[in-house]
Amino acid sequence: MVLLQPKLHLKVSQRQILTPGLVQMVSVLALNKLELRDMINAEMVENPVLEELEDAVPIIDDVSRREEDRDRIAAAEESPTAAAEKKDPFEEIDFGSFFKDYLDPGYRSPGEMEEVERPSFENFLSKPGNLTDHLVWQLGSLPMRPEVREAAELVVGNLNEDGYLIASDEELLGVAPPAPLEADANVGDNVVAAAAALGIDASEPVDELLQPAESAPSQDWEASAGISEATAAAFAPALETASEPSASPHTPPTPISQPNFALADLHEAIETVRQLDPPGVACRDLRECLLYQLRHHQQQLESHKNGNGETAQLLQDAIAVVDQHLRALQLKQHKEIARAIGRPIEAVQHALDYIRTLDPRPGLRYNKVQPRLIEPDVAFVKHGDEWLVVMNEEDVPQLRLNPAYRRLLSKEGNDKDTRNYVKERYKSAIQLIKNIEQRKQTIMKVCYSIVARQQDFLEKGIDELKPMMIKEVAEEIGVHPSTVSRAVANKYAHTPQGVFELRYFFSESVNGPEGGNTSLLILKRRVKKLIEEEDPSRPLTDEQITRILQSQGIQVTRRTVAKYREDMRIPSTHQRRVKK
């Protein structure tokens, strides 16, 4: 029989332990200029040892020294007679204001009551409204049964940012678990793809990586400071996952709540929400969204009676096309649609032109996305025949250690707790200053490596972009690839060709002409250019595009061309064909 008893075991093992300094180094390296400025300001608030060094502002020690000298001189010059002639401090008390504040004199005029300074109402900013607030405000003015109101509020809460209802009837009734987030995200992608097939611009530019980014007003980059040449130490591979939280392998299922309404109440609530502004909200697909917008226009035309017969017929044709032949319209089968609805092909084209004026994403009218400010972190400037990398350090506080706290460490009158606190604050401040300088040197080395490889791009344009891998740059400057990845994350460079994200310069390569390499970004640009220059009645197939690229010396396959075409959200050959 084996008895359970405690035992001591010794085990020798090696582990990589990340100190707080290394963790801070990793986080500081991944910050862009705006984030770094906010982080420094927050650290200066928390750590009294840190202070901003400004040339125009005198140092605290100099100010205190001048004040002591001034007081000493004033005390020496002051005579006893002058001290006796001083006014009695008791006479300086304003007894009138004292009694006025603490004794009730009776009636006061409105002017006397408003003597307290209050902030201006212009300083109060209201929260910007969104689609949910707009719909809830409309629901509050409509009379309806409590069950329908509860269902309508639930419907409004299950709309995505585009205004589409992403939950099924079973999910809203609580008889089915919620769909995964991936399924909800696919709803928006399907709407954008279906709208693009109709020729409706429903998305942001898909080739945003192929265009220069918008930036904040640029400074004069030609007047640059000197560039430090200190080397940056390599980060350990274990830092790759230092700041990434571990995900739980098992996520508990979301409990299903039982609502207080029936299926008929839910359908009534959905129909009620669809009648609200903006038209086309709370629909489940693009067809329903366009149909409700067209019917809304038709109702407006009938109620105002300010249209003519041609407008009414145009709306009727558009409704017939969207209701029954939307898929054929995406495939540009105009003749078949005209034959099916009994109208000439010109009427189908006019209906398509009107459909293209509709909004496939009505929710974005109220769910406005705030523009993101882009300010370059570095600038690539050509000085003579040499390219320089200039760090944009404008508006970034320059830190220094406050020497007043250093004297607290040497004074014997301070207790042990005070000295320990100041010592810890000093260590934290020194570590932060070192990490900020380490970040600067690492970014500079990565950028100089980019400039050395992309000089043709900087001088001639985007078509001269060379393929470049993060691993290659990491080996060149002697750091881990994760360090380079963090150094270029969310950072932008000001170049003669525009403002680009640093990650833009890194791309894979394909076999190019004469045995060279061509960047994948350049390949996508060539595919898009070939499709833009094709004959709409005889569009190029993926196989034909592949043969054209191969004739230019770029070895790609048809599957690769099809993949890049779908990434750029370009419709297929059948959807691009326009039948005459």
Side-chain angles (χ1 to χ4, degrees), residues 90-113:
F90 187 77
E91 298 177 358
E92 298 179 0
I93 301 177
D94 188 3
F95 289 98
S97 63
F98 176 84
F99 286 107
K100 187 176 180 181
D101 291 337
Y102 292 95
L103 295 180
D104 187 8
Y107 173 76
R108 291 188 183 184
S109 64
E112 295 176 342
M113 298 290 292

PDB file of all heavy atoms in Angstrom, residues 90-113:
ATOM      1  N   PHE A  90      -4.145  93.303   9.299  1.00  0.00           N
ATOM      2  CA  PHE A  90      -5.560  93.238   9.668  1.00  0.00           C
ATOM      3  C   PHE A  90      -6.390  94.207   8.838  1.00  0.00           C
ATOM      4  O   PHE A  90      -7.580  93.993   8.599  1.00  0.00           O
ATOM      5  CB  PHE A  90      -5.709  93.541  11.162  1.00  0.00           C
ATOM      6  CG  PHE A  90      -7.106  93.332  11.671  1.00  0.00           C
ATOM      7  CD1 PHE A  90      -7.589  92.056  11.914  1.00  0.00           C
ATOM      8  CD2 PHE A  90      -7.942  94.414  11.902  1.00  0.00           C
ATOM      9  CE1 PHE A  90      -8.873  91.863  12.370  1.00  0.00           C
ATOM     10  CE2 PHE A  90      -9.229  94.221  12.371  1.00  0.00           C
ATOM     11  CZ  PHE A  90      -9.703  92.939  12.601  1.00  0.00           C
ATOM     12  N   GLU A  91      -5.753  95.302   8.396  1.00  0.00           N
ATOM     13  CA  GLU A  91      -6.474  96.289   7.617  1.00  0.00           C
ATOM     14  C   GLU A  91      -6.717  95.835   6.173  1.00  0.00           C
ATOM     15  O   GLU A  91      -7.524  96.455   5.478  1.00  0.00           O
ATOM     16  CB  GLU A  91      -5.711  97.608   7.623  1.00  0.00           C
ATOM     17  CG  GLU A  91      -5.545  98.217   9.009  1.00  0.00           C
ATOM     18  CD  GLU A  91      -4.726  99.483   8.966  1.00  0.00           C
ATOM     19  OE1 GLU A  91      -4.276  99.843   7.842  1.00  0.00           O
ATOM     20  OE2 GLU A  91      -4.539 100.118  10.009  1.00  0.00           O
ATOM     21  N   GLU A  92      -5.993  94.829   5.717  1.00  0.00           N
ATOM     22  CA  GLU A  92      -6.140  94.377   4.342  1.00  0.00           C
ATOM     23  C   GLU A  92      -7.322  93.433   4.151  1.00  0.00           C
ATOM     24  O   GLU A  92      -7.631  93.030   3.036  1.00  0.00           O
ATOM     25  CB  GLU A  92      -4.855  93.663   3.888  1.00  0.00           C
ATOM     26  CG  GLU A  92      -3.641  94.567   3.911  1.00  0.00           C
ATOM     27  CD  GLU A  92      -2.390  93.807   3.466  1.00  0.00           C
ATOM     28  OE1 GLU A  92      -2.522  92.615   3.159  1.00  0.00           O
ATOM     29  OE2 GLU A  92      -1.312  94.429   3.442  1.00  0.00           O
ATOM     30  N   ILE A  93      -7.986  93.039   5.220  1.00  0.00           N
ATOM     31  CA  ILE A  93      -9.128  92.132   5.120  1.00  0.00           C
ATOM     32  C   ILE A  93     -10.334  92.912   4.616  1.00  0.00           C
ATOM     33  O   ILE A  93     -10.654  93.990   5.143  1.00  0.00           O
ATOM     34  CB  ILE A  93      -9.433  91.473   6.471  1.00  0.00           C
ATOM     35  CG1 ILE A  93      -8.209  90.682   6.961  1.00  0.00           C
ATOM     36  CG2 ILE A  93     -10.645  90.573   6.363  1.00  0.00           C
ATOM     37  CD1 ILE A  93      -8.409  90.050   8.329  1.00  0.00           C
ATOM     38  N   ASP A  94     -10.989  92.390   3.618  1.00  0.00           N
ATOM     39  CA  ASP A  94     -12.179  93.017   3.062  1.00  0.00           C
ATOM     40  C   ASP A  94     -13.391  92.518   3.839  1.00  0.00           C
ATOM     41  O   ASP A  94     -13.989  91.485   3.516  1.00  0.00           O
ATOM     42  CB  ASP A  94     -12.311  92.683   1.567  1.00  0.00           C
ATOM     43  CG  ASP A  94     -13.429  93.466   0.918  1.00  0.00           C
ATOM     44  OD1 ASP A  94     -14.061  94.296   1.600  1.00  0.00           O
ATOM     45  OD2 ASP A  94     -13.664  93.240  -0.290  1.00  0.00           O
ATOM     46  N   PHE A  95     -13.742  93.269   4.918  1.00  0.00           N
ATOM     47  CA  PHE A  95     -14.867  92.849   5.742  1.00  0.00           C
ATOM     48  C   PHE A  95     -16.194  92.980   4.990  1.00  0.00           C
ATOM     49  O   PHE A  95     -17.158  92.278   5.291  1.00  0.00           O
ATOM     50  CB  PHE A  95     -14.900  93.669   7.044  1.00  0.00           C
ATOM     51  CG  PHE A  95     -13.785  93.314   7.988  1.00  0.00           C
ATOM     52  CD1 PHE A  95     -12.634  94.086   8.045  1.00  0.00           C
ATOM     53  CD2 PHE A  95     -13.880  92.202   8.801  1.00  0.00           C
ATOM     54  CE1 PHE A  95     -11.602  93.764   8.906  1.00  0.00           C
ATOM     55  CE2 PHE A  95     -12.851  91.881   9.666  1.00  0.00           C
ATOM     56  CZ  PHE A  95     -11.703  92.654   9.728  1.00  0.00           C
ATOM     57  N   GLY A  96     -16.242  93.897   4.028  1.00  0.00           N
ATOM     58  CA  GLY A  96     -17.492  94.055   3.290  1.00  0.00           C
ATOM     59  C   GLY A  96     -17.880  92.802   2.523  1.00  0.00           C
ATOM     60  O   GLY A  96     -19.021  92.343   2.571  1.00  0.00           O
ATOM     61  N   SER A  97     -16.887  92.223   1.814  1.00  0.00           N
ATOM     62  CA  SER A  97     -17.179  90.987   1.086  1.00  0.00           C
ATOM     63  C   SER A  97     -17.440  89.826   2.023  1.00  0.00           C
ATOM     64  O   SER A  97     -18.215  88.926   1.726  1.00  0.00           O
ATOM     65  CB  SER A  97     -16.004  90.663   0.149  1.00  0.00           C
ATOM     66  OG  SER A  97     -14.837  90.434   0.913  1.00  0.00           O
ATOM     67  N   PHE A  98     -16.796  89.862   3.230  1.00  0.00           N
ATOM     68  CA  PHE A  98     -17.005  88.784   4.191  1.00  0.00           C
ATOM     69  C   PHE A  98     -18.454  88.766   4.675  1.00  0.00           C
ATOM     70  O   PHE A  98     -19.148  87.742   4.661  1.00  0.00           O
ATOM     71  CB  PHE A  98     -16.044  88.958   5.366  1.00  0.00           C
ATOM     72  CG  PHE A  98     -16.243  87.938   6.461  1.00  0.00           C
ATOM     73  CD1 PHE A  98     -15.650  86.691   6.374  1.00  0.00           C
ATOM     74  CD2 PHE A  98     -17.038  88.229   7.561  1.00  0.00           C
ATOM     75  CE1 PHE A  98     -15.831  85.755   7.373  1.00  0.00           C
ATOM     76  CE2 PHE A  98     -17.229  87.293   8.559  1.00  0.00           C
ATOM     77  CZ  PHE A  98     -16.627  86.058   8.465  1.00  0.00           C
ATOM     78  N   PHE A  99     -18.966  89.932   5.115  1.00  0.00           N
ATOM     79  CA  PHE A  99     -20.344  89.999   5.584  1.00  0.00           C
ATOM     80  C   PHE A  99     -21.329  89.810   4.432  1.00  0.00           C
ATOM     81  O   PHE A  99     -22.442  89.322   4.624  1.00  0.00           O
ATOM     82  CB  PHE A  99     -20.597  91.334   6.282  1.00  0.00           C
ATOM     83  CG  PHE A  99     -19.965  91.423   7.640  1.00  0.00           C
ATOM     84  CD1 PHE A  99     -18.846  92.213   7.861  1.00  0.00           C
ATOM     85  CD2 PHE A  99     -20.471  90.685   8.700  1.00  0.00           C
ATOM     86  CE1 PHE A  99     -18.251  92.277   9.100  1.00  0.00           C
ATOM     87  CE2 PHE A  99     -19.880  90.750   9.958  1.00  0.00           C
ATOM     88  CZ  PHE A  99     -18.769  91.534  10.159  1.00  0.00           C
ATOM     89  N   LYS A 100     -20.919  90.195   3.252  1.00  0.00           N
ATOM     90  CA  LYS A 100     -21.818  90.043   2.108  1.00  0.00           C
ATOM     91  C   LYS A 100     -22.052  88.590   1.749  1.00  0.00           C
ATOM     92  O   LYS A 100     -23.101  88.200   1.277  1.00  0.00           O
ATOM     93  CB  LYS A 100     -21.227  90.790   0.895  1.00  0.00           C
ATOM     94  CG  LYS A 100     -22.142  90.836  -0.308  1.00  0.00           C
ATOM     95  CD  LYS A 100     -21.511  91.670  -1.408  1.00  0.00           C
ATOM     96  CE  LYS A 100     -22.412  91.729  -2.622  1.00  0.00           C
ATOM     97  NZ  LYS A 100     -21.820  92.521  -3.715  1.00  0.00           N
ATOM     98  N   ASP A 101     -21.028  87.742   1.999  1.00  0.00           N
ATOM     99  CA  ASP A 101     -21.137  86.330   1.675  1.00  0.00           C
ATOM    100  C   ASP A 101     -21.828  85.527   2.774  1.00  0.00           C
ATOM    101  O   ASP A 101     -22.522  84.553   2.485  1.00  0.00           O
ATOM    102  CB  ASP A 101     -19.749  85.742   1.396  1.00  0.00           C
ATOM    103  CG  ASP A 101     -19.164  86.284   0.114  1.00  0.00           C
ATOM    104  OD1 ASP A 101     -19.955  86.729  -0.741  1.00  0.00           O
ATOM    105  OD2 ASP A 101     -17.918  86.269  -0.029  1.00  0.00           O
ATOM    106  N   TYR A 102     -21.618  85.912   4.036  1.00  0.00           N
ATOM    107  CA  TYR A 102     -22.076  85.080   5.141  1.00  0.00           C
ATOM    108  C   TYR A 102     -23.280  85.659   5.906  1.00  0.00           C
ATOM    109  O   TYR A 102     -23.802  84.998   6.792  1.00  0.00           O
ATOM    110  CB  TYR A 102     -20.924  84.845   6.125  1.00  0.00           C
ATOM    111  CG  TYR A 102     -19.849  83.990   5.535  1.00  0.00           C
ATOM    112  CD1 TYR A 102     -18.733  84.569   4.932  1.00  0.00           C
ATOM    113  CD2 TYR A 102     -19.951  82.604   5.555  1.00  0.00           C
ATOM    114  CE1 TYR A 102     -17.742  83.795   4.378  1.00  0.00           C
ATOM    115  CE2 TYR A 102     -18.961  81.828   5.002  1.00  0.00           C
ATOM    116  CZ  TYR A 102     -17.855  82.419   4.425  1.00  0.00           C
ATOM    117  OH  TYR A 102     -16.870  81.624   3.858  1.00  0.00           O
ATOM    118  N   LEU A 103     -23.683  86.879   5.632  1.00  0.00           N
ATOM    119  CA  LEU A 103     -24.873  87.450   6.246  1.00  0.00           C
ATOM    120  C   LEU A 103     -25.921  87.699   5.181  1.00  0.00           C
ATOM    121  O   LEU A 103     -25.590  88.056   4.043  1.00  0.00           O
ATOM    122  CB  LEU A 103     -24.527  88.767   6.960  1.00  0.00           C
ATOM    123  CG  LEU A 103     -23.571  88.652   8.156  1.00  0.00           C
ATOM    124  CD1 LEU A 103     -23.330  90.034   8.753  1.00  0.00           C
ATOM    125  CD2 LEU A 103     -24.128  87.712   9.225  1.00  0.00           C
ATOM    126  N   ASP A 104     -27.177  87.492   5.508  1.00  0.00           N
ATOM    127  CA  ASP A 104     -28.277  87.661   4.566  1.00  0.00           C
ATOM    128  C   ASP A 104     -28.724  89.110   4.574  1.00  0.00           C
ATOM    129  O   ASP A 104     -29.360  89.560   5.540  1.00  0.00           O
ATOM    130  CB  ASP A 104     -29.429  86.728   4.947  1.00  0.00           C
ATOM    131  CG  ASP A 104     -30.521  86.748   3.889  1.00  0.00           C
ATOM    132  OD1 ASP A 104     -30.289  87.366   2.826  1.00  0.00           O
ATOM    133  OD2 ASP A 104     -31.590  86.149   4.131  1.00  0.00           O
ATOM    134  N   PRO A 105     -28.402  89.893   3.563  1.00  0.00           N
ATOM    135  CA  PRO A 105     -28.823  91.292   3.547  1.00  0.00           C
ATOM    136  C   PRO A 105     -30.252  91.473   3.071  1.00  0.00           C
ATOM    137  O   PRO A 105     -30.720  92.599   2.973  1.00  0.00           O
ATOM    138  CB  PRO A 105     -27.820  91.930   2.578  1.00  0.00           C
ATOM    139  CG  PRO A 105     -27.540  90.836   1.608  1.00  0.00           C
ATOM    140  CD  PRO A 105     -27.617  89.545   2.388  1.00  0.00           C
ATOM    141  N   GLY A 106     -30.921  90.380   2.699  1.00  0.00           N
ATOM    142  CA  GLY A 106     -32.272  90.487   2.162  1.00  0.00           C
ATOM    143  C   GLY A 106     -32.281  90.258   0.667  1.00  0.00           C
ATOM    144  O   GLY A 106     -31.669  89.312   0.163  1.00  0.00           O
ATOM    145  N   TYR A 107     -32.936  91.105  -0.065  1.00  0.00           N
ATOM    146  CA  TYR A 107     -33.070  90.927  -1.511  1.00  0.00           C
ATOM    147  C   TYR A 107     -31.750  91.223  -2.211  1.00  0.00           C
ATOM    148  O   TYR A 107     -31.055  92.185  -1.881  1.00  0.00           O
ATOM    149  CB  TYR A 107     -34.165  91.853  -2.048  1.00  0.00           C
ATOM    150  CG  TYR A 107     -34.245  91.853  -3.558  1.00  0.00           C
ATOM    151  CD1 TYR A 107     -34.833  90.786  -4.241  1.00  0.00           C
ATOM    152  CD2 TYR A 107     -33.726  92.922  -4.276  1.00  0.00           C
ATOM    153  CE1 TYR A 107     -34.891  90.795  -5.624  1.00  0.00           C
ATOM    154  CE2 TYR A 107     -33.785  92.932  -5.662  1.00  0.00           C
ATOM    155  CZ  TYR A 107     -34.370  91.862  -6.329  1.00  0.00           C
ATOM    156  OH  TYR A 107     -34.417  91.862  -7.695  1.00  0.00           O
ATOM    157  N   ARG A 108     -31.425  90.373  -3.197  1.00  0.00           N
ATOM    158  CA  ARG A 108     -30.243  90.587  -4.035  1.00  0.00           C
ATOM    159  C   ARG A 108     -30.667  90.666  -5.487  1.00  0.00           C
ATOM    160  O   ARG A 108     -31.565  89.962  -5.927  1.00  0.00           O
ATOM    161  CB  ARG A 108     -29.232  89.444  -3.883  1.00  0.00           C
ATOM    162  CG  ARG A 108     -28.543  89.395  -2.530  1.00  0.00           C
ATOM    163  CD  ARG A 108     -27.431  88.379  -2.551  1.00  0.00           C
ATOM    164  NE  ARG A 108     -26.784  88.242  -1.266  1.00  0.00           N
ATOM    165  CZ  ARG A 108     -25.720  87.458  -1.052  1.00  0.00           C
ATOM    166  NH1 ARG A 108     -25.210  86.747  -2.055  1.00  0.00           N
ATOM    167  NH2 ARG A 108     -25.175  87.382   0.144  1.00  0.00           N
ATOM    168  N   SER A 109     -30.007  91.494  -6.203  1.00  0.00           N
ATOM    169  CA  SER A 109     -30.293  91.624  -7.626  1.00  0.00           C
ATOM    170  C   SER A 109     -29.741  90.423  -8.385  1.00  0.00           C
ATOM    171  O   SER A 109     -28.824  89.743  -7.914  1.00  0.00           O
ATOM    172  CB  SER A 109     -29.669  92.921  -8.171  1.00  0.00           C
ATOM    173  OG  SER A 109     -28.269  92.853  -8.063  1.00  0.00           O
ATOM    174  N   PRO A 110     -30.277  90.127  -9.578  1.00  0.00           N
ATOM    175  CA  PRO A 110     -29.725  88.995 -10.364  1.00  0.00           C
ATOM    176  C   PRO A 110     -28.248  89.143 -10.650  1.00  0.00           C
ATOM    177  O   PRO A 110     -27.524  88.164 -10.740  1.00  0.00           O
ATOM    178  CB  PRO A 110     -30.566  89.026 -11.646  1.00  0.00           C
ATOM    179  CG  PRO A 110     -31.838  89.715 -11.252  1.00  0.00           C
ATOM    180  CD  PRO A 110     -31.461  90.723 -10.206  1.00  0.00           C
ATOM    181  N   GLY A 111     -27.767  90.361 -10.798  1.00  0.00           N
ATOM    182  CA  GLY A 111     -26.342  90.543 -11.048  1.00  0.00           C
ATOM    183  C   GLY A 111     -25.493  90.115  -9.883  1.00  0.00           C
ATOM    184  O   GLY A 111     -24.401  89.560 -10.039  1.00  0.00           O
ATOM    185  N   GLU A 112     -25.983  90.410  -8.669  1.00  0.00           N
ATOM    186  CA  GLU A 112     -25.242  89.992  -7.483  1.00  0.00           C
ATOM    187  C   GLU A 112     -25.284  88.487  -7.287  1.00  0.00           C
ATOM    188  O   GLU A 112     -24.355  87.896  -6.745  1.00  0.00           O
ATOM    189  CB  GLU A 112     -25.802  90.699  -6.252  1.00  0.00           C
ATOM    190  CG  GLU A 112     -25.605  92.198  -6.270  1.00  0.00           C
ATOM    191  CD  GLU A 112     -26.277  92.852  -5.076  1.00  0.00           C
ATOM    192  OE1 GLU A 112     -27.152  92.192  -4.468  1.00  0.00           O
ATOM    193  OE2 GLU A 112     -25.924  93.987  -4.753  1.00  0.00           O
ATOM    194  N   MET A 113     -26.359  87.858  -7.718  1.00  0.00           N
ATOM    195  CA  MET A 113     -26.458  86.399  -7.570  1.00  0.00           C
ATOM    196  C   MET A 113     -25.557  85.663  -8.545  1.00  0.00           C
ATOM    197  O   MET A 113     -25.223  84.503  -8.338  1.00  0.00           O
ATOM    198  CB  MET A 113     -27.913  85.962  -7.794  1.00  0.00           C
ATOM    199  CG  MET A 113     -28.895  86.543  -6.789  1.00  0.00           C
ATOM    200  SD  MET A 113     -28.683  85.841  -5.149  1.00  0.00           S
ATOM    201  CE  MET A 113     -29.222  84.174  -5.456  1.00  0.00           C
TER     202      MET A 113
END
